[in-house]
Amino acid sequence: MAASLSRALKLPGKKGSDLGEYDPLTQADSEDETEDDDLVLNYPRNGLNPAVADLRGEEELDEEEELREGAGHEVGPGRSQGGAAEEKAARVRGAMRSAAFLLPLSCAALLVLLCAFLIPCPQGALLQMQWERELGDTAGVTSPPIALWDVDGDGLEDVLIAVTNISNDSQPMSAQSKELSVWALGGGGGQMLWRKSLREPLISVQCGLQTGSSDPLHSSACVLISSGHMIAINASTGWTLWTTAVGHVVSHAVLLPDLQGDAFPDLLIATLPEDKVSDLALVLISGRSGALIGRPVNFNLTAQGKLIGPLLHETQTGAYYVMFGLGTVEAVSLSLIYSRATGQTAASRVRLKDPTWERLRKSNSSSLIHISSVSDPVDFLLSLVVGSCQRLRNLDGVSALNCSRSDWIVLSNSSRRLSVLRASDTRPIWSLSLASIHTCPAAGHFNDDGVPDLLVHQSANGVRKVQIMDGARGRSLWEAEFVCPRLAVEDSSVLTASGQSVFLFWAGDPLAQPQNVSKVAEPVLRKLFLLHPNYPTILLELSSTTDTVLSAAVSYQAQQKDASYISVSSRPSSGRALGAQVLQTLSLRAAAADARILRLTDADKPSAFQLRKFLRRLAFRQVQQQTPDLHNHTLILSL
């Protein structure tokens, strides 16, 4: 305590020259301190007493402060101005660094805004989903050949259609000059993509044949079939790839597997035999060069009637059979056709034969397998699949596979019966009597059993009865009667995102109750109706016209989740003897949202608001290109 009091009494800054002198207070109190206190208070730092060290440190700090103050007085105001200039320069450098960082950032943000809002969208995104174009002249009610294929690579199916322009239409038909051509029109607005002149009227236009090119725009070809020639053209440009004279052609082309080992699929067509003794000839054609593979294979058929097929069918064992006929449905092994045409054995894959189908042959000497009875003349042979592969008959491998592995619909014109046959043994599963049917049924999914259902319409006494038949059991799922529109246009089905199909058909006004009159007057206005399975008591009137509709097809727009209804009509022209051929496209989503609602019953549900809300969410999708197992049924329709 005495030592601490002694240090506290010393003035700060005073040098202690007598640190070693005798201090009576310290000496007196030192006897009362313990040994530990002596160690703490008197432990030397750097050879000095702690009190001396603290005092010397304070003196050194005072001396350094006096030196700094003296230096400041000696330098004067000039040094202060230099420090201010350096500080100002530092601030300028910081501002420049900030500007160098913010300026590129601002430019980048401005560029993003320009790209997002000011630069216009590419032309491919500006779609005109509803358009109309006058193509040429038309005489009568003949439907022109039409195909759907993406020829310009924009992801939309374009329209390829045969066009006829007639000059001197006031003269007799024999004196008229016809200009024949095929047009490719863009699916997003109807603009002309290319045009190719022809010498003969076309029987068929089919697209999707492989060319072997690595360029996607030149990898597919379209096959134009006239009565005497087959012409393969580049789908994107219309340039001719090869031309083949094949005699008198009477059918479309059928895509076959590779028969020659050149990695290209080959083709088959039906012609009239040159010997004029046989009934029909099947001709194999190279898909790569258009050259004939061997010689035509002639067949003598037991029945005479409308040409059936030809169509390719692949059985469950992988064997290929060609189905064709005149008024009947016959089948012949593809390997047999190749052997007779070339005199050589077909490849191992094509050589396969199905034992079940071979047992259906009634005679070992006969090469034909009879599918239908001779007593029931057949009018149509169709694939029992959802989609348009049996109508457009594109030559791409996916569409051909989808059709070749499907079951079959056969339209007959004698017993007026609708029958379902198993493809394995051609035995009937169910049969149904129907009235007169003039067009092919449309297959779609009305219920959720996975089996395609059929939309059929029957016309009699001025009344058209429209029905949806259960594809699995043959019972009626939906039906209604309308005034007959006097049209023979095939109905359509469009697959929705939910897996169900909407059904499109032409008719007149709906009839509230069955009519027993002998004839109903032909309506002036023909109407296109849409039926959705979720609302079977409601019809949507999409459009109406006084034109004569010749044919129709459906095109999908995957990006927009929409579908277009494409129709070809004959429209009367004022001051001209012949009508105009008009091509129209209708967006189904837009048409459904603005459609007129017709209620087949007096029920108030759903309300108009609920229905409009449902229609705004309606989306369509492309049919999955695969064939599910549908119990291997073949469909026979007898009229």
Side-chain angles (χ1 to χ4, degrees):
M1 292 294 296
S4 300
L5 181 59
S6 175
R7 287 194 299 270
L9 292 176
K10 293 183 180 181
L11 295 176
K14 182 180 178 180
K15 295 183 180 180
S17 57
D18 53 348
L19 292 175
E21 295 181 356
Y22 173 78
D23 190 348
L25 293 177
T26 304
Q27 185 67 25
D29 292 334
S30 61
E31 297 178 357
D32 300 330
E33 299 293 332
T34 63
E35 184 180 357
D36 293 338
D37 292 338
D38 292 337
L39 291 175
V40 174
L41 294 175
N42 300 320
Y43 188 81
R45 284 184 303 180
N46 296 329
L48 297 177
N49 187 277
V52 176
D54 293 342
L55 188 59
R56 179 169 293 185
E58 292 175 359
E59 292 173 352
E60 291 175 353
L61 291 176
D62 293 341
E63 291 175 355
E64 292 176 359
E65 184 177 357
E66 290 175 358
L67 290 175
R68 286 196 298 268
E69 291 177 357
H73 291 297
E74 291 174 359
V75 172
R79 184 63 178 263
S80 300
Q81 294 177 359
E86 293 180 357
E87 185 179 356
K88 183 178 180 179
R91 288 197 298 267
V92 171
R93 287 194 300 269
M96 292 180 64
R97 285 195 298 266
S98 300
F101 171 75
L102 293 176
L103 183 60
L105 184 62
S106 302
C107 294
L110 181 61
L111 182 61
V112 171
L113 292 176
L114 287 174
C115 295
F117 300 104
L118 300 182
I119 297 179
C121 298
Q123 294 297 322
L126 300 177
L127 302 179
Q128 183 181 354
M129 302 308 301
Q130 300 189 127
W131 50 270
E132 176 181 312
R133 178 154 186 166
E134 185 173 326
L135 303 178
D137 302 307
T138 181
V141 291
T142 302
S143 176
I146 187 173
L148 301 179
W149 192 256
D150 181 14
V151 302
D152 55 0
D154 61 353
L156 298 176
E157 289 182 321
D158 306 304
V159 182
L160 292 90
I161 186 170
V163 178
T164 303
N165 289 291
I166 302 176
S167 60
N168 302 323
D169 57 355
S170 60
Q171 302 295 327
M173 292 294 295
S174 58
Q176 293 176 356
S177 176
K178 296 183 179 180
E179 297 179 1
L180 305 176
S181 60
V182 58
W183 291 9
L185 303 177
Q191 68 276 10
M192 176 74 74
L193 300 178
W194 52 260
R195 178 181 181 273
K196 183 177 182 61
S197 299
L198 303 172
R199 296 182 179 179
E200 298 174 333
L202 290 181
I203 298 175
S204 173
V205 178
Q206 299 169 263
C207 293
L209 184 66
Q210 297 179 11
T211 63
S213 175
S214 58
D215 187 354
L217 289 178
H218 302 282
S219 61
S220 61
C222 296
V223 177
L224 312 179
I225 302 178
S226 62
S227 59
H229 295 82
M230 290 182 63
I231 305 174
I233 61 175
N234 187 295
S236 299
T237 62
W239 297 341
T240 301
L241 300 178
W242 51 259
T243 303
T244 303
V246 288
H248 195 285
V249 184
V250 294
S251 76
H252 58 271
V254 179
L255 190 71
L256 301 178
D258 180 16
L259 301 176
Q260 304 180 92
D262 56 1
F264 284 83
D266 298 308
L267 303 174
L268 179 144
I269 59 171
T271 64
L272 296 180
E274 295 182 357
D275 58 10
K276 297 182 180 179
V277 177
S278 303
D279 296 320
L280 200 65
L282 298 180
V283 182
L284 300 177
I285 299 173
S286 170
R288 181 176 186 177
S289 63
L292 298 183
I293 301 177
R295 60 182 182 275
V297 180
N298 298 333
F299 292 92
N300 291 317
L301 305 176
T302 56
Q304 298 296 320
K306 186 176 179 179
L307 175 66
I308 303 302
L311 298 175
L312 182 68
H313 180 69
E314 182 181 359
T315 65
Q316 293 181 346
T317 61
Y320 293 101
Y321 289 86
V322 176
M323 305 177 71
F324 70 105
L326 292 175
T328 58
V329 180
E330 314 286 348
V332 60
S333 172
L334 179 59
S335 63
L336 178 62
I337 298 176
Y338 182 81
S339 300
R340 288 189 178 183
T342 62
Q344 303 175 359
T345 304
S348 58
R349 182 189 177 194
V350 181
R351 256 196 332 264
L352 292 176
K353 292 185 179 181
D354 193 314
T356 304
W357 277 57
E358 293 299 323
R359 284 195 294 267
L360 298 175
R361 197 188 311 275
K362 295 183 179 180
S363 173
N364 293 332
S365 60
S366 175
S367 60
L368 298 177
I369 300 174
H370 300 288
I371 302 299
S372 66
S373 174
V374 179
S375 60
D376 292 334
V378 176
D379 288 336
F380 299 100
L381 174 65
L382 300 173
S383 304
L384 184 56
V385 293
V386 177
S388 57
C389 64
Q390 71 272 14
R391 299 183 184 179
L392 300 176
R393 303 191 187 283
N394 285 332
L395 297 175
D396 61 302
V398 177
S399 297
L401 182 64
N402 196 40
C403 278
S404 64
R405 290 180 175 178
S406 70
D407 305 324
W408 303 101
I409 304 173
V410 177
L411 290 174
S412 223
N413 202 10
S414 175
S415 59
R416 297 184 177 182
R417 295 187 64 83
L418 174 65
S419 302
V420 174
L421 305 182
R422 275 193 300 265
S424 58
D425 56 7
T426 69
R427 293 182 180 179
I429 302 299
W430 55 263
S431 299
L432 185 67
S433 298
L434 295 175
S436 177
I437 299 178
H438 303 287
T439 60
C440 301
H445 293 290
F446 190 85
N447 54 22
D448 56 356
D449 61 359
V451 180
D453 306 308
L454 299 177
L455 173 65
V456 297
H457 62 254
Q458 311 165 60
S459 300
N461 300 324
V463 177
R464 170 163 293 183
K465 184 178 182 180
V466 180
Q467 289 180 288
I468 296 181
M469 312 303 299
D470 187 358
R473 302 179 181 179
R475 57 188 178 90
S476 178
L477 301 175
W478 180 91
E479 61 181 47
E481 291 187 347
F482 303 83
V483 176
C484 184
R486 300 299 179 186
L487 289 177
V489 183
E490 293 182 357
D491 303 323
S492 302
S493 68
V494 188
L495 192 65
T496 65
S498 64
Q500 294 177 305
S501 301
V502 297
F503 295 86
L504 303 170
F505 59 92
W506 289 91
D509 292 323
L511 300 176
Q513 55 186 0
Q515 300 285 336
N516 295 323
V517 297
S518 59
K519 186 177 181 180
V520 178
E522 179 181 349
V524 177
L525 207 58
R526 286 123 176 181
K527 301 179 179 181
L528 177 63
F529 292 106
L530 182 147
L531 172 66
H532 196 287
N534 286 359
Y535 301 101
T537 62
I538 292 178
L539 289 176
L540 300 180
E541 183 182 327
L542 301 183
S543 67
S544 58
T545 182
T546 57
D547 300 339
T548 301
V549 184
L550 304 178
S551 62
V554 175
S555 174
Y556 291 87
Q557 293 83 43
Q559 185 176 3
Q560 291 76 23
K561 298 181 180 180
D562 197 1
S564 295
Y565 184 79
I566 302 174
S567 61
V568 181
S569 305
S570 175
R571 178 176 298 173
S573 300
S574 59
R576 301 180 61 182
L578 298 176
Q581 184 174 281
V582 179
L583 179 67
Q584 294 176 305
T585 64
L586 182 68
S587 170
L588 292 185
R589 293 189 65 181
D594 299 332
R596 178 191 172 195
I597 300 175
L598 299 178
R599 298 181 183 272
L600 301 179
T601 63
D602 297 333
D604 297 333
K605 295 182 179 181
S607 64
F609 173 78
Q610 293 174 336
L611 186 60
R612 295 293 183 188
K613 183 178 179 181
F614 174 79
L615 294 175
R616 284 194 298 268
R617 299 178 179 177
L618 191 61
F620 301 97
R621 65 179 176 89
Q622 189 85 24
V623 178
Q624 297 295 328
Q625 297 295 342
Q626 58 183 1
T627 303
D629 184 9
L630 302 182
H631 312 296
N632 298 323
H633 294 169
T634 298
L635 193 64
I636 297 275
L637 181 60
S638 303
L639 298 180

